[in-house]
Each structure stands twice: as C-alpha cells, then as structure tokens.
Amino acid sequence: MKRGDIAVRMAPWLYTAALFIVWEGAVRLFNIPVFFLPPPTAIANAIVEYWTPIYRHSFYTLSTTLIGFGLAVGFGLLLGLVVGWSRSIYAGLYPLMIGFNAIPKVAVVPILVLWFGIGFVPAVLTAFLISFFPIVVNVATGLATIEPELEDVLKALGASKLDIMRKVGIPRTLPYFFGSLKVAITLAFVGSVISESIASNYGIGNLMLQAQAQFQVPLIFAGLVALAVEGIVMYWLMAILETRMTGWAQRSGFAQA
Amino acid sequence: MSAFVALDEVSHAYGGSTDTPAVEGLSIAIEEGEFAAVVGPSGCGKSTLMKLATGLQFPFKGSVQVAGEVVSKPVKIAGMAFQAPTLLPWRTTLENLLLPLEIVEPYRSEMRRRRVEYSARAANLLTSVGLGGQGEKYPWELSGGMQQRTSLCRALIHEPKLLMLDEPFGALDAFTREELWCVIRDLQAARKITVCLVTHDLREAVFLADRVFVMSARPGRIVLERKIDIPRPRELDVTFTQGFQDIVHELRSHIVRART
Ligand SMILES: Nc1ncnc2c1ncn2[C@@H]1O[C@H](COP(=O)(O)OP(=O)(O)OP(=O)(O)O)[C@@H](O)[C@H]1O
Ligand SMILES: [Mg+2]
C-alpha cells in the first residue's frame, strides 16, 4: 500500500479524533460549564452510565427508522417507476410531489398523532414521509433520462414500452436508486427522531427530551452521539450496497445521482 | 413496383400541421441494395427523414412505403446507428450486440435456446469490423471508434434489410472515420443491404454512396439527386482523384445555395 493510501484511510479517524480533542481543550480552556456544552469526556461518562437506556432507545429508534425507510424504498421505487413511465404522469405528479416535499414534516406529526395516537406508528410514518421523496425523484430521473436515440434504435426494432423499461430503463435507473438510498436513510432518522421527540414515550428523541427536562445535558449529547453513530453505520451500509449492486456505474463514470 | 424506400410528397411537422413543417413535399426513392447518402444544411430535416422512413414519426401529408408496405408502425426490418454510440454500460460489448435479438422476432422467442449460437454470430460480426476478441470488454473500456463499430454491429446483428445511419462517424477523428468508411463499404458489399446514410461530410457521401441526395434548408425537401459513377470496389485513394474532388465541389456549391 502506498503512503498516500494510508493517509487517506486514516484521515476520517484522525479528523474525528481531532474534533473531540479540540472540543475537550476548548471546554477546559474557556471553562465552559457542563450544562452549556459538556466536554467529550463527560459525554463518554454519560454513555457508560446510561448505557442500558441509551442502547434500548437507540434500538427502538433504529427499528422505527428502518421500517419507515423500508416502506419508503418500496413505495418510492414503485411511484418512481410510475412517474418515470410516462411524460404526462410525470407532468401531473411532479408539482404535487414538490409541494408535498416542501411541507415541513414536523407539521405533519400532529395529524399523524390524531389518526394513529402517539408512539410507534407516527414515528415510522414520519420517517417514511420524509425519506421517500429523494427515492421517487431519483428513480424517475433515471427513467426519464434515457437517451432518445437509444429509444429510437429500440423502437425501430418494434420494442414496446415495457421492453424499453426492462432492457434499458430499469437497469440504468439502479445507480440513481441506490445513490438515493444514502440520502434517504439519513432523512429517515431525521423523521423518526422528530416524531419521537414530539409524540412518543420511547426512542432517542424522547430520551433526549427527558434528559433536557431533567437538565442532564451530557445525556442529551450522548443521545446525539448515538444517532450520529447509527446514521454513519447505515449510510456506510447503503454506500456498500450501492457499490455492490451498481459497480459498473462507478467504473464507467455513469451519471451519478 | 415502387422503390424499396419510397417517400412521396411527404410533409411532417413535429408540433402538428399548424407548426412550420420540418420537411415539406419531400420525395425520395431508394432502390433495394442501393447505398444512398443524404446531405443538407443543419436542421433541414435529415434526421426527420430517417424517423419517417423507420416508422418513428408519421407524416401529416404524403405517403411513406418501405419494402412495398405503407409504414404505419416501426418497420422492424431496419437497423439504426447514430452519432452517439448509445451502448449500455452495464452490458459487455457482446451482450450489447445481443440486445436487438432480445427484441425482434423470431430471435426473441428463440433467445433462450439458441443463445450460444447468437453469441457466436455476434462474435463473428465483431471480428468482421476488426473487434475480434473484444466482446467481453465493457463499452467504456473501448475507444470512441471501437464503440462506434460496436454500434454499427448492433444495427446489423438482426440482419436488417435496411440500414439507417445518422451521422454515425460525426464524432470521430479523420483517420478513424476513414477506417470506418471502409468497414461500412465492405459490410454493404458483402450483405447487399440497402443503406441510407445521413452525413455532413461530402467526401464521405461521395466515397460511399451510389446516389447522393441534397436537401434544402427547412422545411426540407430533395433539391438535387447526384449519381456517383465511381466504379466499385472503391479504395480510399479514389478520394484524392480529380474526378472525385469535382463531384465534391459540385455538391458543395449546391449546399451553399440550399442554405440561403
Ligand atoms: N422532436 C422534435 N420536436 C420538435 N421539433 C423537432 C424535433 N426534432 C426535430 N425538430 C425540428 O425539425 C427540424 C428538422 O430537424 P432534424 O433533426 O430532422 O434536422 P437535421 O437535418 O437532422 O439536422 P442536423 O444536421 O443538425 O442533425 C429542425 O428545425 C428541428 O428544430
Ligand atoms: Mg440530425
């Protein structure tokens, strides 16, 4: 392995460590009170001390997020295929979806609570609502950007719309689709945590809310760390999935979503 | 008995008949086995002519016949290649060639059973354009010229009776382009297929074609039809002879006039 490669591989760890060291140093140097900004050591202590609830609530948040995300993948893929299928559906649905996406999801949570009560369902649905949009848009884009000339070549052979979708549309959409999963999974966390902190008795969002009420500031930050770790791991899994499924796109320099 | 490809007084407008037509009163007749070239100013409707002849667009006036039948749907007996090779990056070169066979009958229904045979046919075709042994590579591992050869092969794999080429060599450098002229010349001579080539390059048109058609500016129609009597087989050297140059200059002056 070359020297440069090692440097690149180590870089994320070094930068993360540097962030924590600077943080710790700044808190000590300026005597910042723990209830304002706790130093990383205090957060680490909180993580150890409250390991069991953090673990349990993280797991809960992870499950609502993943279920919402799973729904978003299924529904987003389906709607994306429908939207990308025909120009008129695309034209009709696009403004609706833009409008829908512009609605802050935090404003939707009360309605979800009204319909489904507090807890699990609103969290799943918020994660779903917030994360399906990038999937739809990317899938539709992949279908809508088939080269017209290639379409002509195939149509002149008597290919049906379905043929063109199967042979060209869907395979070329996959890189867009898998690319969008990275964005979607991070958004799904945002959704579930928003909902949990407004309307739930479980989950990291709720844990942080309780910690705030009791003024346990290090525990709030411990919750943030737990979310960040979950977010990074899921993002990383999606990135691996992307490379596995559509390595050709990266090797060929195909348009990346 | 009408010609193999016959457009008679055809008018077509993309935005319906109220729009300025892309072509108007366009008539052209290409005989079976003939190599026809169409030249003309940019935007005059050459690509439109291709689309009309292959059943990708339908005129609001006039008639289009291919192989004795009125064109009312995509013709299926045509192979097409464009300036962009448009190969599928997730398929190997060989798999790209098999794509038309997965769509056109009778190959389509026999694909499963005769895949090995079809692959061998594709490999042979690749060899015939100088790409022997490159079938397992992905298109993005090939040079632009090699991709264009592959695109030509894809247009030919289902043994079409009609080959439609829309500026297929436009994006290539001069040497590669001349190499591919010879490839297409030999393919046409060996298979006796009817070829319709759209090009901006007058030397290309004169070197390859039996007849060159010159189109007017939009709305396009044929303003000149020039028979090229240079005997076949033609070698590249012929392009440097006086007779050849004269034809090129004659066509050029017509196009200059057509532009205004
Ligand atoms: N899909 C389309 N929709 C609307 N107008 C079109 C479409 N395709 C072509 N046109 C118009 O029809 C006219 C003829 O276009 P065409 O593509 O046939 O020209 P061309 O001779 O092939 O030009 P070039 O040499 O630049 O390729 C042009 O003026 C163009 O603006
Ligand atoms: Mg054109």
Side-chain angles (χ1 to χ4, degrees):
Chain A
M1 204 186 283
K2 281 190 308 238
R3 239 189 128 106
D5 288 350
I6 299 175
V8 170
R9 264 163 184 265
M10 293 308 294
W13 303 105
L14 290 176
Y15 277 71
T16 311
L19 170 72
F20 285 124
I21 289 168
V22 170
W23 181 351
E24 182 83 36
V27 169
R28 289 183 186 221
L29 190 67
F30 300 112
N31 256 331
I32 301 174
V34 168
F35 60 80
F36 189 78
L37 178 67
T41 43
I43 299 171
N45 278 337
I47 294 177
V48 174
E49 189 177 340
Y50 297 100
W51 173 250
T52 319
I54 289 178
Y55 171 80
R56 206 165 329 116
H57 286 286
S58 302
F59 193 76
Y60 184 85
T61 299
L62 184 64
S63 56
T64 50
T65 305
L66 285 183
I67 296 172
F69 174 71
L71 289 175
V73 169
F75 187 73
L77 196 55
L78 210 69
L79 190 62
L81 290 176
V82 170
V83 171
W85 183 273
S86 99
R87 222 166 269 271
S88 66
I89 300 180
Y90 188 86
L93 280 182
Y94 208 76
L96 278 181
M97 292 196 312
I98 297 285
F100 176 80
N101 190 48
I103 299 173
K105 297 305 168 291
V106 68
V108 181
V109 177
I111 303 174
L112 294 176
V113 171
L114 193 69
W115 289 344
F116 303 105
I118 66 161
F120 186 75
V121 179
V124 166
L125 288 183
T126 315
F128 160 71
L129 289 176
I130 206 169
S131 62
F132 93 93
F133 187 75
I135 302 179
V136 175
V137 170
N138 274 283
V139 171
T141 306
L143 293 183
T145 51
I146 300 176
E147 297 89 339
E149 287 160 347
L150 182 57
E151 219 171 329
D152 280 352
V153 168
L154 297 178
K155 274 193 201 147
L157 295 169
S160 65
K161 184 89 188 173
L162 187 63
D163 287 334
I164 295 176
M165 284 293 157
R166 276 180 42 225
K167 302 286 180 196
V168 184
I170 292 172
R172 91 187 291 288
T173 293
L174 290 181
Y176 293 89
F177 169 67
F178 284 106
S180 72
L181 294 188
K182 291 186 297 193
V183 181
I185 187 70
T186 354
L187 287 176
F189 274 109
V190 174
S192 56
V193 172
I194 285 178
S195 178
E196 282 168 2
S197 36
I198 301 178
S200 178
N201 295 324
Y202 299 100
I204 284 285
N206 178 255
L207 179 80
M208 283 161 60
L209 201 70
Q210 285 178 25
Q212 188 211 24
Q214 295 159 15
F215 227 63
Q216 291 177 305
V217 180
L219 183 54
I220 303 183
F221 277 83
L224 288 180
V225 171
L227 277 177
V229 169
E230 285 184 342
I232 290 172
V233 169
M234 293 316 294
Y235 184 95
W236 175 70
L237 285 178
M238 292 307 137
I240 291 181
L241 192 65
E242 183 187 13
T243 323
R244 277 282 168 83
M245 303 303 289
T246 54
W248 61 264
Q250 276 154 35
R251 288 193 297 276
S252 68
F254 185 81
Q256 287 292 296
Chain B
M1 179 63 206
S2 70
F4 190 66
V5 178
L7 278 74
D8 190 30
E9 288 294 317
V10 167
S11 299
H12 178 70
Y14 282 93
S17 56
T18 51
D19 217 33
T20 322
V23 298
E24 194 166 37
L26 172 67
S27 299
I28 188 172
I30 302 169
E31 301 301 326
E32 185 154 16
E34 189 180 21
F35 199 129
V38 178
V39 297
S42 188
C44 70
K46 302 183 294 294
S47 300
T48 307
L49 166 65
M50 300 292 234
K51 289 180 190 167
L52 289 166
T54 45
L56 294 170
Q57 293 283 341
F58 305 100
F60 68 84
K61 228 174 82 196
S63 82
V64 181
Q65 286 193 17
V66 170
E69 281 179 41
V70 174
V71 173
S72 57
K73 56 178 190 318
V75 291
K76 296 190 189 180
I77 58 156
M80 298 184 99
F82 295 90
Q83 176 165 351
T86 61
L87 302 170
L88 306 179
W90 57 90
R91 286 177 172 229
T92 63
T93 302
L94 197 84
E95 289 166 349
N96 262 289
L97 291 202
L98 296 179
L99 180 65
L101 301 186
E102 293 166 21
I103 287 167
V104 188
E105 294 293 358
Y107 309 101
R108 184 184 185 129
S109 35
E110 309 209 327
M111 192 70 205
R112 257 167 227 271
R113 228 159 20 89
R114 301 173 63 177
R115 194 170 181 104
V116 178
E117 182 190 330
Y118 292 160
S119 297
R121 184 204 279 196
N124 282 338
L125 193 54
L126 281 176
T127 309
S128 75
V129 299
L131 285 181
Q134 309 279 343
E136 292 314 308
K137 288 210 175 126
Y138 283 88
W140 33 272
E141 297 176 295
L142 304 178
S143 72
M146 291 156 96
Q147 289 184 24
Q148 204 52 343
R149 287 168 203 245
T150 310
S151 172
L152 276 178
C153 290
R154 184 181 62 190
L156 289 166
I157 185 79
H158 59 296
E159 310 209 316
K161 293 215 176 64
L162 178 61
L163 182 60
M164 304 296 262
L165 305 172
D166 195 343
E167 297 179 38
F169 313 129
L172 303 176
D173 66 276
F175 290 108
T176 313
R177 197 180 307 167
E178 289 179 0
E179 256 169 58
L180 287 196
W181 291 356
C182 297
V183 167
I184 203 82
R185 171 198 66 192
D186 296 340
L187 284 170
Q188 198 256 349
R191 292 158 175 254
K192 309 259 180 298
I193 50 179
T194 312
V195 182
C196 178
L197 167 76
V198 165
T199 177
H200 278 134
D201 184 343
L202 294 176
R203 290 178 61 238
E204 177 174 306
V206 176
F207 176 68
L208 285 170
D210 298 313
R211 268 192 303 167
V212 177
F213 297 87
V214 179
M215 283 179 79
S216 70
R218 182 182 187 184
R221 54 195 174 76
I222 305 294
V223 289
L224 179 83
E225 166 189 332
R226 174 69 157 89
K227 204 162 166 46
I228 312 292
D229 304 313
I230 303 168
R232 292 179 186 273
R234 299 172 188 166
E235 293 305 326
L236 276 175
D237 293 343
V238 82
T239 61
F240 301 108
T241 60
Q242 192 56 48
F244 186 93
Q245 301 284 346
D246 289 344
I247 303 174
V248 170
H249 280 136
E250 178 194 330
L251 288 172
R252 171 172 300 277
S253 66
H254 280 285
I255 295 208
V256 170
R257 236 172 294 151
R259 282 172 57 128
T260 51

